[in-house]
């Protein structure tokens, strides 16, 4: 059971309510809406991550799911598994994301594998080997590399909040990704 009562979305400001509703009015948003002073900005930043075209949707979802597994966040994994499937992530890849990626070399391309290894290293050691960082940077470019780091930061932080609050998984609601800007 979620440790803090979830907010009724009808009590939120128009923008906060709209941002929450467009993504499915999920328990995570209703719980975090208790921090009313920063919630709308936090939601707007999350929308930018989910609609950015800098990182391909498929790579974004691979990273989010891998972070969810590394951070032991069943809520993140449950919410993003279907999004990842829709983005073309195969069942074998979904399974590999929950491992140390030893078997990943057979199911991910070189860029995906390097990006996932960077994610693992950053979360588990709080640092990234220079050679691995440069390999990812060469493959993605500067903007996408920084966005990748921001993505890891955001979803690792979200996992910590979900775990601390023990947010209940929504019984029948899954995240709805807003469309990317025209």
């Amino acid at each position: 059971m979620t440790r803090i009562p979830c907010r009724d979305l009808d009590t939120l400001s128009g923008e906060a309510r709209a941002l929450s509703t467009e993504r499915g009015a999920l328990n995570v948003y209703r719980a975090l809406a208790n921090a009313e002073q920063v919630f709308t900005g936090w939601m707007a930043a999350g929308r930018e991550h989910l609609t950015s075209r800098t990182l391909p949707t498929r790579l974004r979802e691979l990273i989010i799911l891998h972070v969810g597994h590394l951070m032991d966040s069943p809520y993140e994994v449950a919410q993003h598994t279907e999004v990842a499937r829709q983005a073309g992530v195969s069942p074998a890849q979904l399974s590999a994301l929950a491992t140390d990626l030893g078997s990943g070399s057979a199911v991910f391309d070189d860029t995906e594998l390097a990006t996932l290894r960077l994610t693992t290293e950053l979360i588990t050691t709080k640092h990234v080997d220079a050679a691995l960082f440069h390999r990812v940077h060469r493959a993605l470019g500067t903007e996408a590399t920084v966005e990748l780091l921001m993505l890891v930061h955001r979803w690792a932080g979200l996992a910590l909040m979900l775990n601390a609050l023990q947010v209940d998984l929504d019984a029948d609601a899954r995240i709805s990704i807003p469309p990317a800007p025209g």
Side-chain angles (χ1 to χ4, degrees), residues 10-30:
D10 290 334
T11 67
L12 299 177
S13 72
E15 185 180 4
R17 186 173 48 255
L19 287 165
S20 299
T21 303
E22 84 173 352
R23 284 189 243 158
L26 304 175
N27 288 341
V28 61
Y29 306 133
R30 295 175 51 241

Side-chain angles (χ1 to χ4, degrees), residues 107-141:
V107 296
F108 298 113
D109 69 30
D110 290 342
T111 299
E112 292 168 344
L113 193 57
T115 301
L116 293 168
R117 286 186 172 147
L118 181 145
T119 301
T120 301
E121 196 168 305
L122 185 58
I123 287 179
T124 60
T125 72
K126 315 306 180 262
H127 300 278
V128 178
D129 174 74
L132 177 58
F133 182 87
H134 292 300
R135 186 171 351 140
V136 169
H137 187 227
R138 272 192 311 276
L140 297 181

Side-chain angles (χ1 to χ4, degrees), residues 31-145:
L32 297 179
N34 284 296
E36 193 166 350
Q37 294 299 308
V38 296
F39 179 69
T40 301
W42 186 85
M43 287 294 290
R47 185 181 209 285
E48 294 302 319
H49 275 290
L50 293 171
T51 61
S52 174
R53 293 183 181 179
T54 302
L55 288 173
T57 302
R58 179 183 147 69
L59 185 57
R60 179 195 74 216
E61 292 303 319
L62 287 172
I63 294 162
I64 290 171
L65 283 175
H66 194 48
V67 168
H69 285 294
L70 291 167
M71 297 297 294
D72 192 25
S73 178
Y75 192 100
E76 279 183 355
V77 172
Q79 286 296 347
H80 282 271
T81 296
E82 185 55 33
V83 178
R85 282 188 187 114
Q86 291 173 8
V89 177
S90 72
Q93 291 167 328
L94 288 171
S95 294
L97 291 171
T99 70
D100 65 3
L101 298 176
S103 63
S105 59
V107 296
F108 298 113
D109 69 30
D110 290 342
T111 299
E112 292 168 344
L113 193 57
T115 301
L116 293 168
R117 286 186 172 147
L118 181 145
T119 301
T120 301
E121 196 168 305
L122 185 58
I123 287 179
T124 60
T125 72
K126 315 306 180 262
H127 300 278
V128 178
D129 174 74
L132 177 58
F133 182 87
H134 292 300
R135 186 171 351 140
V136 169
H137 187 227
R138 272 192 311 276
L140 297 181
T142 298
E143 183 176 3
T145 299

